[in-house]
Amino acid sequence: MKSFILLACATLLSFSVSAAQTTATQLDILNLKAQSEHVLTSGQPNQTDFAKLKQLGVENIINLRGDNETNWSEQELVTELGMNYYHIPVQSKADITIENATKLQALLNEHQQQTTLLHCASSNRVGALVALYNAITLKKPIDEAVEIGKQWGLKSLEGVVRTKVKRRSWSAIS
């Protein structure tokens, strides 16, 4: 009995220390990673994963995928499960914008005390918006912003981020 109580206390302690980190270790979702105490990033969860996410305490889902990237309604499933659903469609390179990055950051700030999963197909678009926000809004050096974006999943869209930051810098000068 004593070891059961110790195990239960340890489980509760680890959940309170980092709900996101605990959730990340319990699911098999592409590129699932805890970014902070309350923020998870990943590729596309499957339909079964959403029920598991709900059971593990995830309250918000932010989807960056385009409208027709799945053959089922993620919004319908997520809301039926009792989670909040937010959608910022990033369907192409043209949608990697500071406006979308700012919308994303506003949602993360609004729900900073709730566990949130932020996803696209692989986490690449997630990382791109995070990098863009860090470079343009937070005015971090581009290499630092890109490195942060990579921690959030940035891969093949790095060139797009660098180009958009450079164009923005040039237009600010002229």
Side-chain angles (χ1 to χ4, degrees), residues 167-174:
R167 281 189 194 145
R168 183 120 175 164
S169 298
W170 280 107
S171 66
I173 293 170
S174 10

Side-chain angles (χ1 to χ4, degrees), residues 127 130-132 134-136 139-151 154 158-159 161-163 165-166 169:
V130 168
L132 198 62
N134 274 271
I136 294 174
K139 301 190 184 321
K140 293 189 179 189
I142 185 62
D143 289 338
E144 183 181 342
V146 164
E147 203 50 47
I148 292 167
K150 285 180 178 179
Q151 292 169 14
L154 176 64
E158 178 180 343
V161 170
R162 287 182 181 276
T163 299
V165 170
K166 188 181 287 187
S169 298

Side-chain angles (χ1 to χ4, degrees), residues 25-53:
T25 63
Q26 295 180 11
L27 295 172
D28 185 27
I29 300 173
L30 178 67
N31 298 329
L32 182 62
K33 185 175 179 185
Q35 298 297 336
S36 68
E37 183 178 353
H38 295 290
V39 177
L40 294 156
T41 55
S42 75
Q44 177 66 55
N46 66 39
Q47 295 175 20
T48 308
D49 292 330
F50 284 108
K52 292 176 187 172
L53 287 162

Side-chain angles (χ1 to χ4, degrees), residues 20-83:
Q21 206 162 28
T22 302
T23 301
T25 63
Q26 295 180 11
L27 295 172
D28 185 27
I29 300 173
L30 178 67
N31 298 329
L32 182 62
K33 185 175 179 185
Q35 298 297 336
S36 68
E37 183 178 353
H38 295 290
V39 177
L40 294 156
T41 55
S42 75
Q44 177 66 55
N46 66 39
Q47 295 175 20
T48 308
D49 292 330
F50 284 108
K52 292 176 187 172
L53 287 162
K54 171 65 176 175
Q55 290 172 347
L56 292 168
V58 174
E59 298 174 66
N60 305 295
I61 302 294
I62 303 173
N63 178 8
L64 299 185
R65 297 189 79 185
D67 292 323
N68 300 317
E69 288 189 58
T70 60
N71 58 3
W72 50 278
S73 173
E74 181 174 319
Q75 179 176 7
E76 189 176 305
L77 175 63
V78 167
T79 54
E80 281 177 10
L81 289 168
M83 293 183 282

Side-chain angles (χ1 to χ4, degrees), residues 62 86 88 98-112 116 133:
I62 303 173
Y86 303 94
I88 303 170
I98 192 58
E99 292 78 18
N100 281 336
T102 302
K103 285 179 195 175
L104 173 58
Q105 190 59 51
L107 280 172
L108 291 173
N109 290 343
E110 180 182 339
H111 299 291
Q112 64 186 335
T116 299
Y133 185 83

